[in-house]
Amino acid sequence: MFKKILVANRGEIAIRIIRACKELGLKTVSIYTEQDANALHISKADEAILVKPGPIAGYLDYEQIIRVARWAEADAIHPGYGFISENWRFAHACEEAGIAFVGPTSSAVRAMGNKIRAREVMTEAGVPLVPGSPVVEDENAALAWAAQIGYPVMIKAKAGGGGKGMRLVHSDEQLRQGLAIARAEAKKAFGDEAVYLEKFIVQPKHIEIQIMADRYGHVIHLGERDCSIQRRHQKLIEIAPSLVLTPEKREAMGEIAITAARQIDYHTVGTVEFLVDRDLNFYFLEMNTRIQVEHTITEIITGIDIVQEQIRLAAGEPLRFRQEDVRFWGHAIQCRINAEDPRNNFFPSPGRITKYQSPGGIGIRIDGCVFGGYEVPPYFDPLLTKLCAWGLTWEEAVNRMARALDEYIIRGIKTTIPLYKKLLQDEEFRCGRYTTEYMERKIQELTYEDVKEPFDIYYLAAAALFFEMNYFYTEGQE
Ligand code: MV4
């Protein structure tokens, strides 16, 4: 086992990793940039080292991070999610430097980062994929492939992922136009203009399987998470298990996810994402070679500490569970509490938290990085905390989450809490059959304020009057 781990991240995930390390008896080193000097992940670790430049570049400069790890005598680096977590060059540099990367091999990271290569690898393994094309070299090739696949067709970037550079087209005409735009976007976003086509799956669910693997050929899955409640590819609410999968479907998807992992000699933990259509046909979408934000809800229903296991597996320990040891118990929901204003197009809402009171009690878990008086910096991802609720039944989990949201007080900045309070009352959410277009369709209804609105106008008038008087007053003084 390692002795000391450098946590190459910030925010809630840095704290989550530090907690796992402490329980494993490992020393921890945090890194931070100048703009993050008051961040909680600094004081939670045994040591903290300033990296430059801020606010973000220091977290991305993996060569500097490896130098810092060497200097601090850390024997492993945990990248968390985002930042350098899926940069195969970083994983490779760790391999070269003789510092353990808490993740799979750089070649597995690389293979899954290239979406075309991922499709090829998975095709070879017999993993079901959305019908699609290889890279389309020109317009004629694209038109021919589209004819074979059948409209509607999605144009996707070879280097894409996370929804960037995707384009939906319904006809030859739209394909011709869309192709040029998609190429330009892909070039701009990824420095690679290669695109390919896929059959568009109408109103899919986004369901992903958590897997765990050691270096000795053992691979298991920890069931699924339904992440369909999202907006513009930012997940907002995740649940486990999915309310639509049968035990047989879960097993089938789990088996396929294991096959996918085996195909690339995967080890540590990872996630295989699927699109699931209305008839519960499922298609491989991509594989995430890192810990994910929503790993928490799988921990809650399985009782397995995924981050601890990830570290053990990275250190070369054998898997401690067999598939039949994994049991699912009850239902878990996670709400991502973001510093954003859902009523204003999810506009970022950084600033000082003037009051903070978190919920608690049976079945509640919070992973966060904020406190009363903390100034949320404007530079980073808006995630403040992850609020999770567990219940023996789905209904109990939903009611418990609603209760926890009611208890939650965050003042001084806008958050997604009011949105979730409304959403949890929605019948369509409560029945669990929602798909990925749910949020976009419901956002108006869920952010419509029915009681307080008329009063706001009076507050506004009073404030205007106050400022007006103040203005005259100060003018008189000069
Ligand atoms: C699709 C799709 C429908 N058909 N591909 C979005 C994220 C990116 N990784 C893939 N995405 C999609 N690919 C085909 N062939 C619909 C989506 C999609 C989506 C997928 C997962 C979660 C949310 C989504 C929201 C909109 C579209």
Side-chain angles (χ1 to χ4, degrees):
M1 178 45 85
F2 309 123
K3 292 198 166 53
K4 199 187 218 184
I5 293 196
L6 183 140
V7 182
N9 214 299
R10 65 176 306 281
E12 70 82 21
I13 194 62
I15 296 171
R16 170 72 191 88
I17 295 162
I18 292 166
R19 286 179 171 146
C21 291
K22 282 197 175 156
E23 293 176 20
L24 284 167
L26 311 181
K27 292 272 180 246
T28 52
V29 184
S30 277
I31 58 166
Y32 65 100
T33 59
E34 205 181 317
Q35 289 76 6
D36 241 350
N38 296 317
L40 213 48
H41 75 279
I42 297 176
S43 54
K44 297 269 184 203
D46 296 307
E47 295 168 55
I49 297 170
L50 177 69
V51 291
K52 289 183 174 177
I56 295 174
Y59 291 114
L60 291 169
D61 181 356
Y62 65 79
E63 283 167 352
Q64 177 182 206
I65 290 169
I66 289 173
R67 283 198 300 277
V68 167
R70 268 224 197 82
W71 183 86
E73 298 181 332
D75 40 15
I77 301 179
H78 197 310
Y81 53 69
F83 294 122
I84 54 174
S85 61
E86 286 180 292
N87 184 336
W88 69 266
R89 288 188 174 85
F90 167 59
H92 186 72
C94 287
E95 288 158 4
E96 298 281 291
I99 292 177
F101 169 72
V102 181
T105 58
S106 61
S107 86
V109 176
R110 190 178 189 180
M112 294 302 102
N114 175 334
K115 304 304 158 187
I116 290 273
R117 189 144 152 227
R119 276 180 69 88
E120 284 166 5
V121 169
M122 294 308 158
T123 306
E124 253 169 62
V127 170
L129 291 122
V130 184
S133 75
V135 170
V136 286
E137 298 296 346
D138 56 32
E139 195 177 280
N140 286 336
L143 289 167
W145 273 107
Q148 193 182 321
I149 295 165
Y151 289 105
V153 156
M154 196 88 132
I155 310 172
K156 294 191 176 186
K158 171 187 161 199
K164 262 190 231 154
M166 283 184 358
R167 230 169 171 86
L168 175 61
V169 293
H170 293 88
S171 63
D172 283 357
E173 177 64 24
Q174 287 182 355
L175 177 60
R176 280 194 202 95
Q177 290 175 358
L179 199 62
I181 301 167
R183 272 193 206 288
E185 276 179 6
K187 177 97 186 163
K188 196 164 169 229
F190 313 109
D192 183 348
E193 63 170 8
V195 297
Y196 65 104
L197 308 182
E198 271 182 16
K199 172 102 191 140
F200 179 63
I201 308 296
V202 181
Q203 297 195 0
K205 261 184 169 296
H206 172 129
I207 296 182
E208 57 189 30
I209 304 279
Q210 177 73 53
I211 61 114
M212 277 172 127
D214 64 20
R215 291 177 193 270
Y216 317 103
H218 308 111
V219 190
I220 62 170
H221 73 85
L222 301 186
E224 81 283 5
R225 298 182 282 260
D226 184 330
C227 308
S228 305
I229 303 277
Q230 55 78 47
R231 184 185 164 273
R232 314 224 167 132
H233 309 300
Q234 298 302 314
K235 293 168 189 165
L236 293 168
I237 298 185
E238 300 99 347
I239 71 169
S242 165
L243 300 180
V244 300
L245 291 194
T246 58
E248 295 74 35
K249 210 34 109 170
R250 173 169 305 115
E251 268 330 290
M253 290 179 76
E255 276 309 311
I256 291 290
I258 288 171
T259 303
R262 284 192 190 288
Q263 186 71 12
I264 52 172
D265 288 326
Y266 199 86
H267 79 104
T268 67
V269 307
T271 302
V272 183
E273 295 187 350
F274 295 98
L275 288 178
V276 179
D277 70 16
R278 266 172 290 196
D279 304 319
L280 297 188
N281 298 308
F282 58 90
Y283 308 95
F284 173 86
L285 198 52
E286 44 193 79
M287 180 165 186
N288 299 315
T289 57
R290 55 174 155 84
I291 191 77
Q292 282 186 290
V293 180
E294 61 271 26
H295 74 277
T296 38
I297 51 174
T298 301
E299 294 186 326
I300 290 171
I301 63 160
T302 62
I304 295 173
D305 185 326
I306 297 172
V307 180
Q308 271 195 28
E309 295 310 322
Q310 181 188 29
I311 294 167
R312 289 179 197 277
L313 293 164
E317 291 188 13
L319 208 51
R320 303 192 305 153
F321 307 93
R322 292 163 302 172
Q323 190 62 57
E324 56 268 33
D325 298 329
V326 179
R327 291 275 183 282
F328 305 110
W329 197 44
H331 294 259
I333 310 174
Q334 170 169 283
C335 289
R336 298 189 186 192
I337 312 299
N338 291 342
E340 292 175 327
D341 181 4
R343 299 180 68 188
N344 186 14
N345 205 23
F346 289 79
F347 201 78
S349 182
R352 185 171 300 278
I353 296 179
T354 53
K355 182 170 180 180
Y356 183 80
Q357 274 178 18
S358 55
I362 182 167
I364 297 299
R365 168 176 173 178
I366 295 182
D367 287 70
C369 57
V370 300
F371 49 88
Y374 178 65
E375 177 104 22
V376 179
Y379 315 106
F380 309 103
D381 169 303
L383 186 63
L384 299 173
T385 76
K386 306 187 299 198
L387 174 62
C388 295
W390 176 87
L392 202 45
T393 62
W394 164 247
E395 200 185 6
E396 187 177 66
V398 175
N399 292 340
R400 189 165 280 156
M401 177 60 85
R403 185 270 292 171
L405 287 166
D406 274 339
E407 279 182 47
Y408 218 154
I409 299 175
I410 302 180
R411 299 251 164 82
I413 57 171
K414 295 275 198 325
T415 74
T416 44
I417 292 173
L419 168 70
Y420 297 146
K421 283 189 189 172
K422 274 222 155 171
L423 193 147
L424 259 67
Q425 306 305 320
D426 182 45
E427 249 334 289
E428 203 180 328
F429 173 73
R430 284 188 165 249
C431 85
R433 304 208 164 261
Y434 51 78
T435 56
T436 49
E437 34 62 63
Y438 172 90
M439 205 62 204
E440 221 67 73
R441 177 160 52 76
K442 285 272 183 170
I443 191 64
Q444 285 305 322
E445 181 188 327
L446 295 175
T447 53
Y448 171 74
E449 198 155 354
D450 36 18
V451 190
K452 287 220 181 89
E453 205 95 83
F455 294 104
D456 286 351
I457 296 183
Y458 292 114
Y459 286 133
L460 208 67
L465 200 63
F466 174 79
F467 282 115
E468 196 80 333
M469 287 164 65
N470 205 34
Y471 174 74
F472 285 123
Y473 177 68
T474 49
E475 266 229 320
Q477 277 187 324
E478 278 166 5

